[in-house]
Amino acid sequence: MEYSIRPIENEDRESIIDIFNYYVENSFAAYPEKKFPYQAFDMFLQMSNGFPTGSIRDPKGRIVGFGMLRTHNPMPAFSQTAEVTYFIHPDHAGKGLGKMLLGFLEKGAVEKGITNILANISSLNPRSIEFHQKNGFIECGRFRKVGKKNSQEFDTVWMQKRPQRSA
């Protein structure tokens, strides 16, 4: 099956929020406890302003995943560090799309001069931790019991990767 990636556009609003809300309701991959309204898409665009973004489309043009980089800290001393966020529709998980999207975002990061990509992951999301480890991230920190969702406490696991410029 042929998938494509392009930067996120305004017309992607509903598909992206629907994918995000699946993870809000069904996992610890997204931290909110309540679904986001479609207007929250504007917050995603604002957070990623000036950074690489990507939406994955299936052969029929439907959005099946999205991702973005965003500032880690607004101070100029951290201008070479970004945080990554991505979500793949559950019907398309396990097909290599996360790796494909990460590669797309890393390429954009290198072009922008980003030298560090950070991922903030719930300790109750072991699949994401494993995905990041398999894709070159190392655990660089852990904040214990700082999160709580649906009455369940969790750690935030911080992972880091230094993207490499392609040869």
Side-chain angles (χ1 to χ4, degrees):
M1 205 180 252
E2 188 85 16
Y3 291 87
S4 61
I5 302 177
R6 68 161 203 221
I8 291 174
E9 297 178 354
N10 224 2
E11 68 187 44
D12 303 340
R13 171 183 307 268
E14 290 185 13
S15 297
I16 285 176
I17 295 299
D18 288 346
I19 292 169
F20 183 76
N21 282 336
Y22 170 85
Y23 288 97
V24 167
E25 292 185 303
N26 296 289
S27 77
F28 285 89
Y31 294 146
E33 289 186 290
K34 294 186 170 117
K35 288 171 58 171
F36 273 22
Y38 291 124
Q39 294 82 358
F41 179 79
D42 297 330
M43 176 189 66
F44 285 169
L45 288 182
Q46 184 179 7
M47 287 170 38
S48 64
N49 187 27
F51 287 88
T53 66
S55 62
I56 301 178
R57 293 180 178 272
D58 70 8
K60 295 181 179 176
R62 295 175 296 214
I63 294 176
V64 297
F66 74 95
M68 67 182 86
L69 294 178
R70 66 181 185 278
T71 188
H72 166 67
N73 185 313
M75 295 293 169
F78 299 97
S79 65
Q80 293 182 322
T81 301
E83 289 185 44
V84 67
T85 298
Y86 27 59
F87 295 92
I88 306 298
H89 189 284
D91 293 344
H92 296 268
K95 298 180 180 181
L97 299 180
K99 183 178 180 88
M100 184 173 128
L101 183 56
L102 176 59
F104 178 86
L105 294 173
E106 282 184 31
K107 183 177 184 287
V110 168
E111 290 170 1
K112 186 172 172 47
I114 302 295
T115 59
N116 289 286
I117 297 176
L118 303 177
N120 175 348
I121 306 164
S122 166
S123 58
L124 299 176
N125 188 0
R127 286 183 66 205
S128 182
I129 294 169
E130 182 181 317
F131 168 83
H132 286 88
Q133 287 171 334
K134 285 182 178 177
N135 286 282
F137 283 78
I138 58 166
E139 184 172 329
C140 60
R142 183 180 288 249
F143 295 108
R144 305 214 180 266
K145 299 193 184 305
V146 295
K148 190 173 191 178
K149 179 176 178 178
N150 301 327
S151 302
Q152 203 167 350
E153 288 184 325
F154 59 90
D155 302 347
T156 55
V157 178
W158 283 89
M159 300 190 80
Q160 177 181 13
K161 182 175 186 178
R162 296 185 56 88
Q164 302 297 313
R165 183 170 296 282
S166 299

